[in-house]
Amino acid sequence: MVHYNGKKVPSVVIKRLPRYYRYLGELLKQDIKRISSNVLSTKMNVTASQIRQDFNYFGGFGQQGYGYNVEFLYREIGEILGLHEGYKTIIVGAGHLGHALANHSTFEKRGFRLAGIFDIDETIIGKEINGVKIMHIDTLEEFIAQNGIDIAILATPRAVVQDMANRLVACGIKGLWNFSYVELKTDQPVAIENVHLSDSLMTLSYKIKQGDEE
Amino acid sequence: MVHYNGKKVPSVVIKRLPRYYRYLGELLKQDIKRISSNVLSTKMNVTASQIRQDFNYFGGFGQQGYGYNVEFLYREIGEILGLHEGYKTIIVGAGHLGHALANHSTFEKRGFRLAGIFDIDETIIGKEINGVKIMHIDTLEEFIAQNGIDIAILATPRAVVQDMANRLVACGIKGLWNFSYVELKTDQPVAIENVHLSDSLMTLSYKIKQGDEE
């Protein structure tokens, strides 16, 4: 289900793109101009041949012998990831998770713009988090229509997340970033990414149990 | 760097274990006793041969023709992931993220026990989140020694996360679950798992950009 220019790309390859992107961003900060797939491989804990295979899904990004041009690669991967689109996001749910996400400075750095936060709690409507206003959920549809919102971050209680998803999909939202442990069902096509924090905790647990330490 | 019984297991395989575990848990709830690798494959969006390869790292878990025993597989994978160890955790940092994580019911369901929360803000010391007390960071070392804490969840501001990691490692903590965008350096072996939320948002962005909708 994950494609690029009509070609099927394995999910594991897609999942590595943000990691490549982050690492290339760090190289850029250090003013490093070129990197070989071997060095990239060591840093990313992926074999060099896997990196070349990964990149081949997207056209290859230049000659392997000579190494990759860091800035070019960073820009290309950012483009493929849609980070130059300036996607506009809203957060639905201004509880602790919504607050934490609104304060997460990395999202803006990656090109996402937080346009609004929605909640049902009258006592916090009109307040701001990180300079972004909390609005009443009753104004959700109107706000999305007027502001061309692309992505909704679902940080609501579990009990209402499916209802919220339905409303958002009906508004033509393009993507749902779902933090609840509910498998969303939608009657119209929409991109969905579920965050399962406990997967990461279980991976840590594995490392402890199996004695894998850094 | 990720091993099982001394054998090297690729990180991508390890990362799939929590997903298998979650899905098997759902099957158990539906009272499903056996599942073929083909059905598991469709649900998990991984090829059946990949699933068999994954399981072979851990001994195979039974015959493929007859299908897998769901309860056995669930228990075995839980064991491998260390979920039966009853790992005791603390949260360092009781801001919005710390609050959100303390209220995250899934962690307890996965066998992790939250024993304490630490902060520096005098006005919240002694309060409780989800029944767990917020204590002053000055008592961190004493608490860990007395309560045999395994895992520390780092939910502090970025500026202090390395200092906190140093203190925790000096106490002999076994695992650090790091939510900050700081690459931790430790002078003693410790399991580390970094959460990069923006990776997940970038994956969603890719799906929107490339028109991959569910």
Side-chain angles (χ1 to χ4, degrees):
Chain A
M1 289 288 281
V2 194
H3 294 79
Y4 178 72
N5 283 346
K7 278 181 298 183
K8 197 167 161 35
V9 183
S11 304
V12 288
V13 177
I14 304 303
K15 289 221 181 300
R16 274 196 288 268
L17 290 181
R19 285 183 59 215
Y20 291 130
Y21 186 79
R22 273 194 282 118
Y23 179 60
L24 291 163
E26 283 163 34
L27 291 179
L28 270 187
K29 266 193 224 152
Q30 297 162 45
D31 211 27
I32 293 169
K33 309 278 189 213
R34 297 198 78 86
I35 189 165
S36 68
S37 51
N38 285 325
V39 175
L40 197 53
S41 153
T42 312
K43 293 288 180 184
M44 300 284 305
N45 204 14
V46 178
T47 66
S49 105
Q50 187 63 70
I51 288 177
R52 289 188 292 265
Q53 275 179 50
D54 286 358
F55 289 179
N56 276 336
Y57 283 103
F58 308 102
F61 306 129
Q63 294 152 359
Q64 60 188 68
Y66 191 60
Y68 297 103
N69 177 318
V70 173
E71 196 176 344
F72 174 76
L73 196 53
Y74 180 76
R75 228 187 286 147
E76 286 292 301
I77 293 178
E79 179 68 25
I80 290 165
L81 286 169
L83 306 185
H84 307 155
E85 304 292 319
Y87 286 138
K88 285 165 97 174
T89 69
I90 54 170
I91 293 176
V92 183
H96 289 297
L97 178 62
H99 266 83
L101 293 170
N103 285 316
H104 207 297
S105 59
T106 324
F107 304 153
E108 212 167 304
K109 222 170 64 189
R110 298 293 180 230
F112 300 97
R113 289 179 293 155
L114 181 60
I117 302 164
F118 291 86
D119 206 283
I120 201 165
D121 177 0
E122 303 278 1
T123 65
I124 58 169
I125 308 297
K127 291 188 178 169
E128 290 189 353
I129 312 175
N130 201 9
V132 180
K133 204 164 262 182
I134 305 177
M135 291 166 277
H136 196 282
I137 194 72
D138 286 351
T139 64
L140 179 73
E141 282 81 358
E142 193 188 336
F143 185 85
I144 292 176
Q146 285 175 357
N147 295 276
I149 302 303
D150 304 289
I151 294 173
I153 304 176
L154 290 166
T156 67
R158 194 186 159 124
V160 300
V161 68
Q162 181 65 59
D163 282 348
M164 282 301 136
N166 295 346
R167 283 174 65 175
L168 290 158
V169 170
C171 295
I173 204 101
K174 293 176 191 157
L176 297 174
W177 200 26
N178 177 27
F179 279 81
S180 78
Y181 193 69
V182 170
E183 210 174 315
L184 299 174
K185 287 169 183 56
T186 56
D187 56 4
Q188 283 171 61
V190 59
I192 298 177
E193 183 71 14
N194 299 301
V195 178
H196 289 295
L197 284 178
S198 62
D199 282 16
S200 167
L201 182 54
M202 288 192 262
T203 305
L204 177 63
S205 175
Y206 172 94
K207 290 179 181 174
I208 296 171
K209 166 87 179 178
Q210 309 301 341
D212 270 309
E213 290 152 343
E214 290 170 32
Chain B
M1 287 290 282
V2 194
H3 294 79
Y4 177 73
N5 283 346
K7 276 181 301 182
K8 196 166 163 32
V9 183
S11 303
V12 288
V13 177
I14 304 304
K15 289 221 180 300
R16 275 196 287 268
L17 290 181
R19 285 183 59 214
Y20 290 131
Y21 186 78
R22 274 194 281 118
Y23 180 61
L24 290 163
E26 283 162 34
L27 291 179
L28 271 187
K29 266 193 225 153
Q30 296 162 45
D31 212 27
I32 293 168
K33 309 277 190 213
R34 297 197 78 85
I35 188 164
S36 68
S37 51
N38 284 326
V39 174
L40 197 54
S41 153
T42 312
K43 294 287 181 185
M44 299 284 305
N45 203 15
V46 178
T47 66
S49 106
Q50 186 64 69
I51 288 177
R52 288 188 293 265
Q53 275 181 49
D54 285 358
F55 289 179
N56 276 338
Y57 283 103
F58 308 101
F61 307 129
Q63 295 151 358
Q64 60 188 71
Y66 191 58
Y68 297 104
N69 177 319
V70 174
E71 196 176 343
F72 173 77
L73 196 52
Y74 180 77
R75 227 186 288 148
E76 286 292 302
I77 293 179
E79 179 67 24
I80 291 165
L81 286 170
L83 306 185
H84 307 155
E85 304 291 320
Y87 286 138
K88 285 165 98 175
T89 68
I90 54 169
I91 294 176
V92 182
H96 289 297
L97 179 62
H99 267 82
L101 293 170
N103 285 315
H104 206 298
S105 59
T106 324
F107 304 154
E108 213 167 303
K109 222 170 64 187
R110 299 292 180 230
F112 301 96
R113 289 179 293 156
L114 181 61
I117 302 164
F118 291 86
D119 206 283
I120 201 165
D121 177 1
E122 303 278 0
T123 65
I124 59 169
I125 308 298
K127 291 188 178 168
E128 290 189 353
I129 311 175
N130 201 10
V132 180
K133 203 164 263 183
I134 304 176
M135 291 165 277
H136 197 282
I137 195 71
D138 287 352
T139 64
L140 180 73
E141 282 80 358
E142 194 189 337
F143 185 86
I144 292 176
Q146 285 176 356
N147 294 277
I149 302 302
D150 305 288
I151 294 172
I153 304 177
L154 289 165
T156 67
R158 194 185 159 127
V160 300
V161 69
Q162 181 65 59
D163 281 349
M164 283 300 136
N166 294 347
R167 284 175 65 174
L168 291 158
V169 170
C171 294
I173 204 100
K174 294 176 189 156
L176 298 174
W177 199 27
N178 176 27
F179 278 80
S180 77
Y181 192 69
V182 170
E183 210 174 315
L184 298 175
K185 287 168 183 58
T186 57
D187 55 4
Q188 283 172 63
V190 60
I192 298 177
E193 183 71 12
N194 298 302
V195 177
H196 289 295
L197 284 178
S198 62
D199 282 15
S200 168
L201 182 54
M202 288 193 262
T203 305
L204 177 64
S205 174
Y206 173 92
K207 291 179 181 174
I208 296 171
K209 165 89 178 177
Q210 309 301 342
D212 270 310
E213 290 153 342
E214 287 170 34

